[in-house]
CSV table of all heavy atoms in Angstrom, one decimal:
chain,number,residue,atom,x,y,z
J,68,TYR,N,3.4,27.6,-2.5
J,68,TYR,CA,3.8,28.8,-1.7
J,68,TYR,C,5.1,28.4,-1.0
J,68,TYR,O,5.3,27.2,-0.6
J,68,TYR,CB,2.7,29.1,-0.7
J,68,TYR,CG,3.2,30.1,0.3
J,68,TYR,CD1,3.2,31.5,0.0
J,68,TYR,CD2,3.7,29.7,1.6
J,68,TYR,CE1,3.6,32.4,0.9
J,68,TYR,CE2,4.1,30.7,2.5
J,68,TYR,CZ,4.1,32.0,2.2
J,68,TYR,OH,4.5,33.0,3.1
J,86,GLY,N,-6.4,5.8,-6.9
J,86,GLY,CA,-5.9,6.4,-8.2
J,86,GLY,C,-5.1,7.6,-7.9
J,86,GLY,O,-4.7,8.0,-6.8
J,112,LEU,N,10.0,24.0,33.7
J,112,LEU,CA,10.0,25.4,33.3
J,112,LEU,C,9.1,25.6,32.1
J,112,LEU,O,9.3,25.0,31.0
J,112,LEU,CB,11.5,25.9,32.9
J,112,LEU,CG,11.7,27.3,32.6
J,112,LEU,CD1,11.3,28.2,33.8
J,112,LEU,CD2,13.1,27.6,32.1
J,157,ARG,N,22.8,20.7,30.5
J,157,ARG,CA,22.8,19.5,29.8
J,157,ARG,C,21.6,19.4,28.9
J,157,ARG,O,20.5,19.8,29.3
J,157,ARG,CB,22.8,18.3,30.8
J,157,ARG,CG,22.9,17.0,30.1
J,157,ARG,CD,23.2,15.9,31.1
J,157,ARG,NE,23.4,14.6,30.4
J,157,ARG,CZ,22.6,13.6,30.6
J,157,ARG,NH1,21.6,13.6,31.5
J,157,ARG,NH2,22.8,12.5,29.9
J,160,LEU,N,18.7,14.3,24.0
J,160,LEU,CA,17.6,14.0,23.1
J,160,LEU,C,16.7,12.9,23.8
J,160,LEU,O,17.2,11.9,24.3
J,160,LEU,CB,18.2,13.4,21.7
J,160,LEU,CG,17.1,13.0,20.7
J,160,LEU,CD1,16.3,14.2,20.2
J,160,LEU,CD2,17.7,12.3,19.6
J,172,ASP,N,5.7,17.2,6.5
J,172,ASP,CA,7.0,16.6,6.9
J,172,ASP,C,7.5,17.2,8.2
J,172,ASP,O,8.7,17.1,8.5
J,172,ASP,CB,8.1,16.8,5.8
J,172,ASP,CG,8.5,18.2,5.6
J,172,ASP,OD1,7.9,19.2,6.2
J,172,ASP,OD2,9.5,18.4,4.8
J,181,THR,N,18.5,20.1,31.5
J,181,THR,CA,18.7,20.2,32.9
J,181,THR,C,19.9,21.1,33.2
J,181,THR,O,20.6,21.5,32.3
J,181,THR,CB,19.0,18.8,33.5
J,181,THR,OG1,20.1,18.2,32.8
J,181,THR,CG2,17.8,17.8,33.4
J,197,ARG,N,4.9,35.3,30.7
J,197,ARG,CA,5.5,34.9,31.9
J,197,ARG,C,6.3,33.6,31.7
J,197,ARG,O,6.1,32.8,30.8
J,197,ARG,CB,4.3,34.5,32.9
J,197,ARG,CG,3.5,35.6,33.3
J,197,ARG,CD,2.5,35.4,34.4
J,197,ARG,NE,2.0,34.1,34.7
J,197,ARG,CZ,0.7,33.7,34.6
J,197,ARG,NH1,-0.2,34.5,34.2
J,197,ARG,NH2,0.4,32.5,34.9
J,223,ALA,N,5.9,16.6,24.1
J,223,ALA,CA,7.1,16.5,24.9
J,223,ALA,C,6.9,16.2,26.4
J,223,ALA,O,7.6,15.4,26.9
J,223,ALA,CB,7.8,17.9,24.7
J,227,TYR,N,7.9,12.7,28.3
J,227,TYR,CA,8.8,12.8,29.4
J,227,TYR,C,8.2,12.1,30.6
J,227,TYR,O,8.8,11.3,31.3
J,227,TYR,CB,9.2,14.3,29.8
J,227,TYR,CG,10.0,14.4,31.0
J,227,TYR,CD1,11.4,14.2,31.0
J,227,TYR,CD2,9.4,14.6,32.3
J,227,TYR,CE1,12.1,14.2,32.1
J,227,TYR,CE2,10.1,14.6,33.4
J,227,TYR,CZ,11.5,14.5,33.4
J,227,TYR,OH,12.3,14.5,34.5
Side-chain angles (χ1 to χ4, degrees):
Y68 172 80
L112 187 61
R157 184 165 183 245
L160 181 66
D172 70 352
T181 56
R197 295 188 337 241
Y227 176 84

